[in-house]
Structure formats: C-alpha cells, structure tokens
Amino acid sequence: MAKAHTYKFCFGPWNLSEGQDPYGPPTRPVQSFDWKLDQLKRLGFDAMMFHDDDAVPDIDHKSDAQLQKEARELHKKLSDAGIVAEIVAPRLWFSPMTIDGAYTSNDPACRKYALERSLRCIDVAKVLGTDLIVLWLAREGTYLRESKSGRRSVELLVEAIDKMLAHDKKVRIAIEPKPNEPMDHAYLPTIGHALAVAQLTSDPQRVGCLIETAHAILAGLDPADEIDFASAFGKLWSLHLNDQNGLKFDQDKPFGSANLRGAFDQVRALERNHYGSRGEYVAFDVHPFRPTKIEHWTAHLENSRRTFLRLVEKVRSFDEAGAQKLIRAQNYAALDQMVLEHLMGK
Ligand code: GLO
Ligand code: MG
C-alpha cells in the first residue's frame, strides 16, 4: 500500500452556496467573499479554488489593468490568510455569449469571446500563483444533435486548448468531464474522452484531468476506476470528491453520503496512486442541503473531510494480506463480506 502522506484540502466559494436551485430562490442570506475565506481558514483548509469571476468579479467589464490590480489584491489577501489558490476555471456558461456553448458555439463571435475569456482566466491564474486551469465544459454539447458536428466540435475544443497552451508556456489544463447537465449529452463525458483529446493537442504533457465523483457516476462509471485510469497516465491533477444518488441531476452531496463503500474504494484508489504526494489537493465540490440553517452552513465541508480522513484510516488498516489470500482463492463472497465488516467496524 502507498506510503502514508498527509492530504491537503480545498473548496471553492461556490461550495458555501445559499440554497438556490432551478426551482427556488436562496434559503440563506448572501455572504461576502471575505466571509467565505474566513470560513475556509477557520475550518483549517489549505487552498481555495476559483472561477475567474470569483477572483475578479464582473471580469467581462474590467480592463486588463483592472484585472491585474484585483487579482494582485486577492493574491495578497490569500497570502495574508496563508491560503493558496489551487486552480482557476473560466466560467464559460453564464454569459449571453455562451448560450450555445463556448468553444463549440455555432457563432464565431461567441467562440472568439470564449477564447479571449479563457486567456484572461490564465492571466488571473498567473497572478494568483497557480499554473492549473480547470475546464468544466458546461455547455459544450448540443440542444439539438443535428445543430452541431461532433467531429468539428472536437476540433474546436483542441484549437481552443492549443491557444491556451500557447498563451502561457507554463500553464497546465485539467479537463473536468461531465456527461450531462446542463446539456443532455456533452462532448467530453468521461476521463477517457478528456485524455484522448489531450493527445490531439500541441502539448499533451500539459493537458490532464480533474475527476468529480458525481460526474463519473452520472456517466455510469465507478469513480474509483476513473481515478486508477487517469493515474495510470499520470494525469490526475485535481479532484472533486462528493456523492451522487443514481443517474439523476447532479447532487453534489457530501462525500460518502450516498455510497460509503464507493467512497472507500475511491480513497483506496487515491492511496494506491499516491494522490496528493506530488502537491495535488483534495477538493470537495459539495453543497449544503437546501434546508441547512446558517449555523450549520459549513457542516457539509467539515463532514466530507472527516469522512475522507476516516476512510483513509480504513484503507490503511484494511487487511491487504488477508484480502490477497481471498483474491488468490477467488473467494469473492468472503472478500465482499470482509470489506463490509471492515467498514462496519469489525
Ligand atoms: C459542475 C461542476 C462545477 C465545476 C466548477 C469548476 O457540475 O462540478 O462545479 O467543478 O465550475 O470548474
Ligand atoms: Mg466539479
């Protein structure tokens, strides 16, 4: 089993969300960014992840000079708090220019916007001191399958990534695949797709991936297998742990909430691949349940980390030699029960 190392933890300001969903308004009062940063520090997390406009609000209406100034101010605020910026992600799904997708939009002016926005996101990341850009390709799919060519869309995605790689020779891109929502089908639904597209770019070494538990489950895959797959390529650069009950809307439940055994298997895959030992962070892309009261606003994050660390203990105390014996005998019924007994505390 992996040499024991300590993990570093992360979340984004959007993970202290106010309770809005497509069917109703916020259920908790809007809080400032500073309040969210204070919570992150109080909980003892190490890093924060950002969308470009979490870092520089209203980024589309700011000059480059203003962008640099605000990013520098944020960098100072984070350094003073002892917090690192893990990643920056261009929020390519809010603007009126990305209604039909961003890099794959059928409108060339909108594709140009998406690219310029991505290059500015890289500029923000540079000031914040991170080389890692996350691409969650929210609307890169179709509302109507006949409206876009899948082949052309792959080419457009590669073109866009190439321009980002050329913009900053140090930047690395981590693609966060998701098979659906807000689209019915997305062009990069799984880690296999993300890593295949990485190979088509001008610098495959600088294109990797981010695995989110819920997204793998929505693709009908086991997140632990996705972790092993990406790690076999040395491409697992970031991680969004959470949980998901079935093939429904993206739920972003606390880690382990729906499937504790699945969570154990993910931690086991992370441990055997030494995830975190090369500086990677464990981020929780989780949201509070909508009825959550103000005084319990951070519980989903604390609970996710607690569950994660409890599962690290469970993985490290798992009787691997005993398991190997059962595997050699192909006694999977006994292996199955051994895992359950271990998780139940026996
Ligand atoms: C949505 C995604 C989203 C991304 C975030 C960072 O399903 O999980 O939360 O992780 O925007 O790019
Ligand atoms: Mg995510």
Side-chain angles (χ1 to χ4, degrees):
M1 220 357 104
K3 193 167 140 278
H5 64 270
T6 52
Y7 287 93
K8 291 184 297 182
F9 297 100
C10 179
F11 65 82
W14 65 90
N15 298 122
L16 288 172
S17 48
E18 286 85 13
Q20 63 275 31
D21 70 12
Y23 306 97
T27 53
R28 292 174 292 280
V30 173
Q31 299 284 0
S32 66
F33 172 79
D34 287 354
W35 181 84
K36 295 183 178 182
L37 179 61
D38 282 349
Q39 302 309 311
L40 184 135
K41 204 173 148 49
R42 181 180 63 78
L43 298 176
F45 278 59
D46 307 280
M48 195 176 239
M49 47 184 178
F50 289 93
H51 294 114
D52 49 3
D53 58 357
D54 293 321
V56 179
D58 201 20
I59 189 168
D60 284 338
H61 299 106
K62 304 245 163 102
S63 67
D64 286 337
Q66 189 67 20
L67 176 151
Q68 291 286 332
K69 180 173 171 284
E70 291 188 29
R72 274 200 304 273
E73 284 164 5
L74 174 61
H75 185 235
K76 179 165 184 334
K77 190 181 279 186
L78 293 175
S79 306
D80 290 348
I83 300 298
V84 166
E86 188 221 358
I87 59 101
V88 186
R91 200 195 295 266
L92 291 171
W93 52 95
F94 260 45
S95 160
M97 298 297 279
T98 55
I99 289 173
D100 190 26
Y103 311 129
T104 68
S105 169
N106 278 328
D107 181 342
C110 293
R111 293 204 298 273
K112 186 161 174 279
Y113 161 84
L115 187 65
E116 280 164 6
R117 170 85 184 239
S118 308
L119 302 187
R120 298 186 93 212
C121 172
I122 294 175
D123 297 341
V124 172
K126 201 167 178 174
V127 180
L128 295 188
T130 176
D131 65 353
L132 197 53
I133 300 295
V134 166
L135 290 186
W136 171 48
L137 300 167
R139 296 188 196 277
E140 308 296 18
T142 57
Y143 291 97
L144 184 71
R145 230 45 191 169
E146 296 82 4
S147 69
K148 289 184 186 175
S149 148
R151 166 73 188 259
R152 175 83 181 117
S153 294
V154 170
E155 289 164 1
L156 287 170
L157 289 168
V158 171
E159 258 173 63
I161 294 172
D162 279 350
K163 293 207 172 102
M164 294 172 75
L165 294 170
H167 182 71
D168 181 334
K169 293 288 177 210
K170 294 235 167 68
V171 86
R172 292 180 300 145
I173 313 267
I175 298 172
E176 179 183 348
K178 182 177 177 182
N180 61 283
E181 202 198 37
M183 315 307 291
D184 58 354
H185 290 288
Y187 285 127
L188 298 186
T190 69
I191 294 302
H193 290 82
L195 296 189
V197 158
Q199 290 309 116
L200 292 180
T201 66
S202 56
D203 193 355
Q205 301 273 55
R206 290 196 284 141
V207 185
C209 66
L210 179 161
I211 290 173
E212 172 162 327
T213 311
H215 299 180
I217 295 170
L218 285 168
L221 299 172
D222 185 324
D225 284 348
E226 289 281 84
I227 290 170
D228 273 332
F229 186 86
S231 301
F233 289 79
K235 294 277 195 159
L236 184 55
W237 298 341
S238 188
L239 185 66
H240 286 178
L241 294 181
N242 56 19
D243 214 350
Q244 170 73 23
N245 185 10
L247 302 180
K248 298 168 186 160
F249 64 95
D250 187 10
Q251 296 149 19
D252 294 335
K253 285 176 184 266
F255 184 53
S257 165
N259 182 349
L260 190 60
R261 183 187 193 153
F264 169 75
D265 287 331
Q266 288 168 70
V267 176
R268 204 153 169 262
L270 293 170
E271 284 268 297
R272 73 171 150 246
N273 288 293
H274 310 268
Y275 183 84
S277 66
R278 293 160 297 258
E280 309 94 330
Y281 289 86
V282 173
F284 298 111
D285 200 356
V286 293
H287 286 275
F289 297 113
R290 194 161 187 259
T292 300
K293 296 187 175 56
I294 296 177
E295 59 270 33
H296 305 138
W297 203 329
T298 59
H300 61 304
L301 291 157
E302 293 173 271
N303 292 343
S304 292
R305 182 179 56 184
R306 182 180 160 80
T307 302
F308 179 87
L309 289 170
R310 291 282 307 273
L311 288 173
V312 169
E313 283 169 22
K314 284 283 173 193
V315 169
R316 291 180 183 172
S317 61
F318 186 62
D319 177 7
E320 287 293 342
Q324 285 307 321
K325 223 166 124 187
L326 295 175
I327 291 165
R328 277 195 299 277
Q330 291 179 314
N331 188 349
Y332 298 153
L335 179 64
D336 185 29
Q337 192 61 19
M338 179 183 165
V339 172
L340 292 180
E341 297 285 351
H342 187 62
L343 286 176
M344 289 187 292
K346 265 195 132 194

